[in-house]
Amino acid sequence: MEKILVIGCSGQIGSELTLELRKIYGNTNVIATDIRPANAEVSGSGPFEILDVMDTAKLQLILEHERITHVYHLAAILSGNAEKRPLASWDINMRSLMNVLELGRELKLKKIFWPSSIAVFGPTTPRYNTPQFTVMEPNTVYGISKLAGERWIEYYYNKYGVDVRSLRYPGLISYKTEAGGGTTDYAVEIFYAAIRKKKYECFLGPESDLPMMFMSDAIKATIDLMEADASKLSLRSSYNVAGICFNPRQLADEIKKYIPDFEITYKPDFRQAIADSWPACIDDSVAKKDWGLVYNYDLPKMAEVMIREIRKKLL
Ligand code: NAD
Ligand code: SER
């Protein structure tokens, strides 16, 4: 039977993934942890503990005491925040992963999920239809840490047989928890600003194409990958996931269908250079072929749900 530990349950992904895992594996079998408190839905539906993933001794204690078999390690510093504190972010992103991998090896955990990102690519990577295997020269602290992480998870699989699985998530769009300091956060902020004030000043320029994905598709892809038969996985670094490709101008046009007097203005900041170094849309044919990656949300469907749910929250 699976006994699951989620590290980073209070963030944009963890707050939704924890609930979905509890639906599948049972509330008491999913232990949620974070360095900060969880929201009421997470702390009210099953076990929650404060855990700093850098505290190896406490992490080991929980893994052993709770007889954990599966870990979802989501704690990280995202791209925008990482550029403000490069060395501290490198330390958190890398040392936390090494802690989880080492304990995974020692305690013979059955499976580990660790997310990578489109940030593993860089300005020398082909921007359109970015292949699974291509030039990878990231120029952000976050991207460098994700690429190094991908190399380490593959190494732990090949050398020690640790079954780590990973997706290169695009920018994730959700309405439950606000985004955590990344470059793709505009695509979440814009909905709140449109509903609250009917205007938004975007920190990326109008034509900044980026791959994005609605959260429920990301959660489904994560669980499908974790449940896939190991024999189907042809790679042990991280799978490209494409989602939906659009830019701020196209997203604003979609929002105007619901809020016709919505106005967007553009004031690019340091995150523009990060966005420009990332793919515009990527090729995820390997994930589709290996374990059947599918999506349920395109841009209009995603925008419709975001507007409806954020209106319910705010109005
Ligand atoms: P987030 O910032 O919303 O959440 C991260 C959580 O980790 C936060 O709740 C934070 O409190 C926690 N955390 C930070 N340091 C910790 C520590 N030392 N110990 C324990 N917990 C700690 O991030 P997210 O968007 O939920 O992302 C989760 C993972 O997915 C990250 O690895 C991120 O790089 C990756 N990812 C996210 C996106 C996206 O668009 N959200 C895209 C690509 C990859
Ligand atoms: N959404 C993430 C970020 O912008 C991509 O990994 O940092």
Side-chain angles (χ1 to χ4, degrees), residues 174-194:
S174 64
Y175 56 83
K176 286 203 170 169
T177 305
E178 290 183 29
T183 301
T184 56
D185 292 17
Y186 91 84
V188 178
E189 290 173 11
I190 192 171
F191 286 98
Y192 286 89

mmCIF file with all atom_site columns, all heavy atoms in Angstrom, residues 174-194:
data_model
loop_
_atom_site.group_PDB
_atom_site.id
_atom_site.type_symbol
_atom_site.label_atom_id
_atom_site.label_alt_id
_atom_site.label_comp_id
_atom_site.label_asym_id
_atom_site.label_entity_id
_atom_site.label_seq_id
_atom_site.pdbx_PDB_ins_code
_atom_site.Cartn_x
_atom_site.Cartn_y
_atom_site.Cartn_z
_atom_site.occupancy
_atom_site.B_iso_or_equiv
_atom_site.pdbx_formal_charge
_atom_site.auth_seq_id
_atom_site.auth_comp_id
_atom_site.auth_asym_id
_atom_site.auth_atom_id
_atom_site.pdbx_PDB_model_num
ATOM 1   N N   . SER A 1 174 ? -3.747  28.365 -12.150 1.00 0.00 ? 174 SER A N   1
ATOM 2   C CA  . SER A 1 174 ? -4.717  27.800 -11.212 1.00 0.00 ? 174 SER A CA  1
ATOM 3   C C   . SER A 1 174 ? -5.395  28.921 -10.451 1.00 0.00 ? 174 SER A C   1
ATOM 4   O O   . SER A 1 174 ? -4.898  30.047 -10.419 1.00 0.00 ? 174 SER A O   1
ATOM 5   C CB  . SER A 1 174 ? -4.008  26.876 -10.229 1.00 0.00 ? 174 SER A CB  1
ATOM 6   O OG  . SER A 1 174 ? -3.099  27.625 -9.439  1.00 0.00 ? 174 SER A OG  1
ATOM 7   N N   . TYR A 1 175 ? -6.540  28.582 -9.797  1.00 0.00 ? 175 TYR A N   1
ATOM 8   C CA  . TYR A 1 175 ? -7.286  29.610 -9.063  1.00 0.00 ? 175 TYR A CA  1
ATOM 9   C C   . TYR A 1 175 ? -7.283  29.380 -7.560  1.00 0.00 ? 175 TYR A C   1
ATOM 10  O O   . TYR A 1 175 ? -7.724  30.224 -6.810  1.00 0.00 ? 175 TYR A O   1
ATOM 11  C CB  . TYR A 1 175 ? -8.723  29.692 -9.594  1.00 0.00 ? 175 TYR A CB  1
ATOM 12  C CG  . TYR A 1 175 ? -9.476  28.382 -9.553  1.00 0.00 ? 175 TYR A CG  1
ATOM 13  C CD1 . TYR A 1 175 ? -10.110 27.963 -8.387  1.00 0.00 ? 175 TYR A CD1 1
ATOM 14  C CD2 . TYR A 1 175 ? -9.522  27.559 -10.668 1.00 0.00 ? 175 TYR A CD2 1
ATOM 15  C CE1 . TYR A 1 175 ? -10.780 26.748 -8.344  1.00 0.00 ? 175 TYR A CE1 1
ATOM 16  C CE2 . TYR A 1 175 ? -10.187 26.348 -10.634 1.00 0.00 ? 175 TYR A CE2 1
ATOM 17  C CZ  . TYR A 1 175 ? -10.810 25.946 -9.471  1.00 0.00 ? 175 TYR A CZ  1
ATOM 18  O OH  . TYR A 1 175 ? -11.461 24.748 -9.429  1.00 0.00 ? 175 TYR A OH  1
ATOM 19  N N   . LYS A 1 176 ? -6.780  28.220 -7.084  1.00 0.00 ? 176 LYS A N   1
ATOM 20  C CA  . LYS A 1 176 ? -6.886  27.954 -5.644  1.00 0.00 ? 176 LYS A CA  1
ATOM 21  C C   . LYS A 1 176 ? -5.811  28.684 -4.857  1.00 0.00 ? 176 LYS A C   1
ATOM 22  O O   . LYS A 1 176 ? -6.077  29.311 -3.851  1.00 0.00 ? 176 LYS A O   1
ATOM 23  C CB  . LYS A 1 176 ? -6.796  26.450 -5.375  1.00 0.00 ? 176 LYS A CB  1
ATOM 24  C CG  . LYS A 1 176 ? -8.045  25.723 -5.768  1.00 0.00 ? 176 LYS A CG  1
ATOM 25  C CD  . LYS A 1 176 ? -8.222  24.413 -5.044  1.00 0.00 ? 176 LYS A CD  1
ATOM 26  C CE  . LYS A 1 176 ? -9.608  23.865 -5.307  1.00 0.00 ? 176 LYS A CE  1
ATOM 27  N NZ  . LYS A 1 176 ? -9.783  22.504 -4.870  1.00 0.00 ? 176 LYS A NZ  1
ATOM 28  N N   . THR A 1 177 ? -4.551  28.569 -5.314  1.00 0.00 ? 177 THR A N   1
ATOM 29  C CA  . THR A 1 177 ? -3.431  29.177 -4.594  1.00 0.00 ? 177 THR A CA  1
ATOM 30  C C   . THR A 1 177 ? -2.661  30.040 -5.579  1.00 0.00 ? 177 THR A C   1
ATOM 31  O O   . THR A 1 177 ? -2.422  29.623 -6.711  1.00 0.00 ? 177 THR A O   1
ATOM 32  C CB  . THR A 1 177 ? -2.503  28.073 -4.039  1.00 0.00 ? 177 THR A CB  1
ATOM 33  O OG1 . THR A 1 177 ? -3.293  27.195 -3.242  1.00 0.00 ? 177 THR A OG1 1
ATOM 34  C CG2 . THR A 1 177 ? -1.380  28.638 -3.198  1.00 0.00 ? 177 THR A CG2 1
ATOM 35  N N   . GLU A 1 178 ? -2.275  31.229 -5.128  1.00 0.00 ? 178 GLU A N   1
ATOM 36  C CA  . GLU A 1 178 ? -1.586  32.124 -6.067  1.00 0.00 ? 178 GLU A CA  1
ATOM 37  C C   . GLU A 1 178 ? -0.191  31.589 -6.389  1.00 0.00 ? 178 GLU A C   1
ATOM 38  O O   . GLU A 1 178 ? 0.355   30.775 -5.654  1.00 0.00 ? 178 GLU A O   1
ATOM 39  C CB  . GLU A 1 178 ? -1.571  33.540 -5.485  1.00 0.00 ? 178 GLU A CB  1
ATOM 40  C CG  . GLU A 1 178 ? -2.999  34.089 -5.532  1.00 0.00 ? 178 GLU A CG  1
ATOM 41  C CD  . GLU A 1 178 ? -3.161  35.514 -5.046  1.00 0.00 ? 178 GLU A CD  1
ATOM 42  O OE1 . GLU A 1 178 ? -2.195  36.289 -5.180  1.00 0.00 ? 178 GLU A OE1 1
ATOM 43  O OE2 . GLU A 1 178 ? -4.238  35.830 -4.547  1.00 0.00 ? 178 GLU A OE2 1
ATOM 44  N N   . ALA A 1 179 ? 0.363   32.036 -7.528  1.00 0.00 ? 179 ALA A N   1
ATOM 45  C CA  . ALA A 1 179 ? 1.636   31.496 -8.009  1.00 0.00 ? 179 ALA A CA  1
ATOM 46  C C   . ALA A 1 179 ? 2.796   31.978 -7.133  1.00 0.00 ? 179 ALA A C   1
ATOM 47  O O   . ALA A 1 179 ? 2.705   33.008 -6.473  1.00 0.00 ? 179 ALA A O   1
ATOM 48  C CB  . ALA A 1 179 ? 1.835   31.901 -9.458  1.00 0.00 ? 179 ALA A CB  1
ATOM 49  N N   . GLY A 1 180 ? 3.889   31.188 -7.147  1.00 0.00 ? 180 GLY A N   1
ATOM 50  C CA  . GLY A 1 180 ? 4.932   31.334 -6.126  1.00 0.00 ? 180 GLY A CA  1
ATOM 51  C C   . GLY A 1 180 ? 6.215   32.037 -6.532  1.00 0.00 ? 180 GLY A C   1
ATOM 52  O O   . GLY A 1 180 ? 7.288   31.637 -6.107  1.00 0.00 ? 180 GLY A O   1
ATOM 53  N N   . GLY A 1 181 ? 6.134   33.087 -7.367  1.00 0.00 ? 181 GLY A N   1
ATOM 54  C CA  . GLY A 1 181 ? 7.360   33.848 -7.636  1.00 0.00 ? 181 GLY A CA  1
ATOM 55  C C   . GLY A 1 181 ? 8.081   33.463 -8.915  1.00 0.00 ? 181 GLY A C   1
ATOM 56  O O   . GLY A 1 181 ? 9.300   33.609 -9.024  1.00 0.00 ? 181 GLY A O   1
ATOM 57  N N   . GLY A 1 182 ? 7.323   32.999 -9.906  1.00 0.00 ? 182 GLY A N   1
ATOM 58  C CA  . GLY A 1 182 ? 7.931   32.614 -11.172 1.00 0.00 ? 182 GLY A CA  1
ATOM 59  C C   . GLY A 1 182 ? 7.728   33.656 -12.260 1.00 0.00 ? 182 GLY A C   1
ATOM 60  O O   . GLY A 1 182 ? 7.104   34.700 -12.037 1.00 0.00 ? 182 GLY A O   1
ATOM 61  N N   . THR A 1 183 ? 8.228   33.334 -13.453 1.00 0.00 ? 183 THR A N   1
ATOM 62  C CA  . THR A 1 183 ? 8.142   34.234 -14.606 1.00 0.00 ? 183 THR A CA  1
ATOM 63  C C   . THR A 1 183 ? 6.793   34.101 -15.303 1.00 0.00 ? 183 THR A C   1
ATOM 64  O O   . THR A 1 183 ? 6.339   35.023 -15.981 1.00 0.00 ? 183 THR A O   1
ATOM 65  C CB  . THR A 1 183 ? 9.297   33.884 -15.575 1.00 0.00 ? 183 THR A CB  1
ATOM 66  O OG1 . THR A 1 183 ? 10.512  34.062 -14.840 1.00 0.00 ? 183 THR A OG1 1
ATOM 67  C CG2 . THR A 1 183 ? 9.304   34.734 -16.808 1.00 0.00 ? 183 THR A CG2 1
ATOM 68  N N   . THR A 1 184 ? 6.152   32.938 -15.117 1.00 0.00 ? 184 THR A N   1
ATOM 69  C CA  . THR A 1 184 ? 4.856   32.717 -15.764 1.00 0.00 ? 184 THR A CA  1
ATOM 70  C C   . THR A 1 184 ? 3.692   33.183 -14.880 1.00 0.00 ? 184 THR A C   1
ATOM 71  O O   . THR A 1 184 ? 2.532   33.039 -15.276 1.00 0.00 ? 184 THR A O   1
ATOM 72  C CB  . THR A 1 184 ? 4.682   31.216 -16.106 1.00 0.00 ? 184 THR A CB  1
ATOM 73  O OG1 . THR A 1 184 ? 4.843   30.457 -14.898 1.00 0.00 ? 184 THR A OG1 1
ATOM 74  C CG2 . THR A 1 184 ? 5.720   30.756 -17.119 1.00 0.00 ? 184 THR A CG2 1
ATOM 75  N N   . ASP A 1 185 ? 3.996   33.772 -13.733 1.00 0.00 ? 185 ASP A N   1
ATOM 76  C CA  . ASP A 1 185 ? 2.941   34.172 -12.773 1.00 0.00 ? 185 ASP A CA  1
ATOM 77  C C   . ASP A 1 185 ? 1.950   35.175 -13.371 1.00 0.00 ? 185 ASP A C   1
ATOM 78  O O   . ASP A 1 185 ? 0.825   35.294 -12.881 1.00 0.00 ? 185 ASP A O   1
ATOM 79  C CB  . ASP A 1 185 ? 3.540   34.838 -11.525 1.00 0.00 ? 185 ASP A CB  1
ATOM 80  C CG  . ASP A 1 185 ? 4.329   33.875 -10.657 1.00 0.00 ? 185 ASP A CG  1
ATOM 81  O OD1 . ASP A 1 185 ? 4.686   32.790 -11.159 1.00 0.00 ? 185 ASP A OD1 1
ATOM 82  O OD2 . ASP A 1 185 ? 4.613   34.216 -9.500  1.00 0.00 ? 185 ASP A OD2 1
ATOM 83  N N   . TYR A 1 186 ? 2.371   35.917 -14.402 1.00 0.00 ? 186 TYR A N   1
ATOM 84  C CA  . TYR A 1 186 ? 1.467   36.922 -14.964 1.00 0.00 ? 186 TYR A CA  1
ATOM 85  C C   . TYR A 1 186 ? 0.140   36.286 -15.375 1.00 0.00 ? 186 TYR A C   1
ATOM 86  O O   . TYR A 1 186 ? -0.929  36.910 -15.287 1.00 0.00 ? 186 TYR A O   1
ATOM 87  C CB  . TYR A 1 186 ? 2.116   37.646 -16.170 1.00 0.00 ? 186 TYR A CB  1
ATOM 88  C CG  . TYR A 1 186 ? 1.817   36.993 -17.496 1.00 0.00 ? 186 TYR A CG  1
ATOM 89  C CD1 . TYR A 1 186 ? 0.634   37.274 -18.188 1.00 0.00 ? 186 TYR A CD1 1
ATOM 90  C CD2 . TYR A 1 186 ? 2.684   36.057 -18.058 1.00 0.00 ? 186 TYR A CD2 1
ATOM 91  C CE1 . TYR A 1 186 ? 0.330   36.644 -19.389 1.00 0.00 ? 186 TYR A CE1 1
ATOM 92  C CE2 . TYR A 1 186 ? 2.389   35.425 -19.248 1.00 0.00 ? 186 TYR A CE2 1
ATOM 93  C CZ  . TYR A 1 186 ? 1.213   35.720 -19.919 1.00 0.00 ? 186 TYR A CZ  1
ATOM 94  O OH  . TYR A 1 186 ? 0.890   35.085 -21.092 1.00 0.00 ? 186 TYR A OH  1
ATOM 95  N N   . ALA A 1 187 ? 0.224   35.020 -15.841 1.00 0.00 ? 187 ALA A N   1
ATOM 96  C CA  . ALA A 1 187 ? -0.958  34.352 -16.389 1.00 0.00 ? 187 ALA A CA  1
ATOM 97  C C   . ALA A 1 187 ? -1.952  33.950 -15.299 1.00 0.00 ? 187 ALA A C   1
ATOM 98  O O   . ALA A 1 187 ? -3.072  33.541 -15.614 1.00 0.00 ? 187 ALA A O   1
ATOM 99  C CB  . ALA A 1 187 ? -0.545  33.142 -17.219 1.00 0.00 ? 187 ALA A CB  1
ATOM 100 N N   . VAL A 1 188 ? -1.549  34.068 -14.036 1.00 0.00 ? 188 VAL A N   1
ATOM 101 C CA  . VAL A 1 188 ? -2.479  33.890 -12.915 1.00 0.00 ? 188 VAL A CA  1
ATOM 102 C C   . VAL A 1 188 ? -2.911  35.268 -12.408 1.00 0.00 ? 188 VAL A C   1
ATOM 103 O O   . VAL A 1 188 ? -4.108  35.553 -12.272 1.00 0.00 ? 188 VAL A O   1
ATOM 104 C CB  . VAL A 1 188 ? -1.824  33.069 -11.774 1.00 0.00 ? 188 VAL A CB  1
ATOM 105 C CG1 . VAL A 1 188 ? -2.788  32.944 -10.591 1.00 0.00 ? 188 VAL A CG1 1
ATOM 106 C CG2 . VAL A 1 188 ? -1.399  31.693 -12.277 1.00 0.00 ? 188 VAL A CG2 1
ATOM 107 N N   . GLU A 1 189 ? -1.934  36.147 -12.180 1.00 0.00 ? 189 GLU A N   1
ATOM 108 C CA  . GLU A 1 189 ? -2.218  37.506 -11.657 1.00 0.00 ? 189 GLU A CA  1
ATOM 109 C C   . GLU A 1 189 ? -3.245  38.245 -12.516 1.00 0.00 ? 189 GLU A C   1
ATOM 110 O O   . GLU A 1 189 ? -4.086  38.977 -12.016 1.00 0.00 ? 189 GLU A O   1
ATOM 111 C CB  . GLU A 1 189 ? -0.940  38.352 -11.674 1.00 0.00 ? 189 GLU A CB  1
ATOM 112 C CG  . GLU A 1 189 ? 0.116   37.970 -10.683 1.00 0.00 ? 189 GLU A CG  1
ATOM 113 C CD  . GLU A 1 189 ? 1.408   38.772 -10.895 1.00 0.00 ? 189 GLU A CD  1
ATOM 114 O OE1 . GLU A 1 189 ? 1.423   39.758 -11.664 1.00 0.00 ? 189 GLU A OE1 1
ATOM 115 O OE2 . GLU A 1 189 ? 2.408   38.393 -10.294 1.00 0.00 ? 189 GLU A OE2 1
ATOM 116 N N   . ILE A 1 190 ? -3.152  38.052 -13.827 1.00 0.00 ? 190 ILE A N   1
ATOM 117 C CA  . ILE A 1 190 ? -3.991  38.820 -14.755 1.00 0.00 ? 190 ILE A CA  1
ATOM 118 C C   . ILE A 1 190 ? -5.490  38.594 -14.485 1.00 0.00 ? 190 ILE A C   1
ATOM 119 O O   . ILE A 1 190 ? -6.302  39.523 -14.593 1.00 0.00 ? 190 ILE A O   1
ATOM 120 C CB  . ILE A 1 190 ? -3.619  38.454 -16.220 1.00 0.00 ? 190 ILE A CB  1
ATOM 121 C CG1 . ILE A 1 190 ? -4.252  39.419 -17.218 1.00 0.00 ? 190 ILE A CG1 1
ATOM 122 C CG2 . ILE A 1 190 ? -3.994  37.038 -16.560 1.00 0.00 ? 190 ILE A CG2 1
ATOM 123 C CD1 . ILE A 1 190 ? -3.722  39.218 -18.662 1.00 0.00 ? 190 ILE A CD1 1
ATOM 124 N N   . PHE A 1 191 ? -5.850  37.368 -14.082 1.00 0.00 ? 191 PHE A N   1
ATOM 125 C CA  . PHE A 1 191 ? -7.264  37.071 -13.822 1.00 0.00 ? 191 PHE A CA  1
ATOM 126 C C   . PHE A 1 191 ? -7.757  37.817 -12.583 1.00 0.00 ? 191 PHE A C   1
ATOM 127 O O   . PHE A 1 191 ? -8.863  38.365 -12.584 1.00 0.00 ? 191 PHE A O   1
ATOM 128 C CB  . PHE A 1 191 ? -7.458  35.557 -13.652 1.00 0.00 ? 191 PHE A CB  1
ATOM 129 C CG  . PHE A 1 191 ? -7.369  34.808 -14.946 1.00 0.00 ? 191 PHE A CG  1
ATOM 130 C CD1 . PHE A 1 191 ? -6.198  34.171 -15.332 1.00 0.00 ? 191 PHE A CD1 1
ATOM 131 C CD2 . PHE A 1 191 ? -8.473  34.744 -15.804 1.00 0.00 ? 191 PHE A CD2 1
ATOM 132 C CE1 . PHE A 1 191 ? -6.113  33.486 -16.528 1.00 0.00 ? 191 PHE A CE1 1
ATOM 133 C CE2 . PHE A 1 191 ? -8.397  34.059 -17.008 1.00 0.00 ? 191 PHE A CE2 1
ATOM 134 C CZ  . PHE A 1 191 ? -7.214  33.431 -17.379 1.00 0.00 ? 191 PHE A CZ  1
ATOM 135 N N   . TYR A 1 192 ? -6.930  37.824 -11.519 1.00 0.00 ? 192 TYR A N   1
ATOM 136 C CA  . TYR A 1 192 ? -7.326  38.526 -10.288 1.00 0.00 ? 192 TYR A CA  1
ATOM 137 C C   . TYR A 1 192 ? -7.475  40.022 -10.575 1.00 0.00 ? 192 TYR A C   1
ATOM 138 O O   . TYR A 1 192 ? -8.439  40.661 -10.145 1.00 0.00 ? 192 TYR A O   1
ATOM 139 C CB  . TYR A 1 192 ? -6.292  38.304 -9.181  1.00 0.00 ? 192 TYR A CB  1
ATOM 140 C CG  . TYR A 1 192 ? -6.359  36.911 -8.583  1.00 0.00 ? 192 TYR A CG  1
ATOM 141 C CD1 . TYR A 1 192 ? -5.620  35.864 -9.127  1.00 0.00 ? 192 TYR A CD1 1
ATOM 142 C CD2 . TYR A 1 192 ? -7.177  36.646 -7.489  1.00 0.00 ? 192 TYR A CD2 1
ATOM 143 C CE1 . TYR A 1 192 ? -5.692  34.584 -8.604  1.00 0.00 ? 192 TYR A CE1 1
ATOM 144 C CE2 . TYR A 1 192 ? -7.261  35.367 -6.949  1.00 0.00 ? 192 TYR A CE2 1
ATOM 145 C CZ  . TYR A 1 192 ? -6.509  34.342 -7.504  1.00 0.00 ? 192 TYR A CZ  1
ATOM 146 O OH  . TYR A 1 192 ? -6.595  33.076 -6.979  1.00 0.00 ? 192 TYR A OH  1
ATOM 147 N N   . ALA A 1 193 ? -6.503  40.593 -11.321 1.00 0.00 ? 193 ALA A N   1
ATOM 148 C CA  . ALA A 1 193 ? -6.535  42.027 -11.603 1.00 0.00 ? 193 ALA A CA  1
ATOM 149 C C   . ALA A 1 193 ? -7.729  42.366 -12.504 1.00 0.00 ? 193 ALA A C   1
ATOM 150 O O   . ALA A 1 193 ? -8.408  43.386 -12.300 1.00 0.00 ? 193 ALA A O   1
ATOM 151 C CB  . ALA A 1 193 ? -5.230  42.444 -12.272 1.00 0.00 ? 193 ALA A CB  1
ATOM 152 N N   . ALA A 1 194 ? -8.008  41.510 -13.475 1.00 0.00 ? 194 ALA A N   1
ATOM 153 C CA  . ALA A 1 194 ? -9.124  41.773 -14.401 1.00 0.00 ? 194 ALA A CA  1
ATOM 154 C C   . ALA A 1 194 ? -10.439 41.810 -13.631 1.00 0.00 ? 194 ALA A C   1
ATOM 155 O O   . ALA A 1 194 ? -11.294 42.670 -13.880 1.00 0.00 ? 194 ALA A O   1
ATOM 156 C CB  . ALA A 1 194 ? -9.166  40.702 -15.485 1.00 0.00 ? 194 ALA A CB  1
#
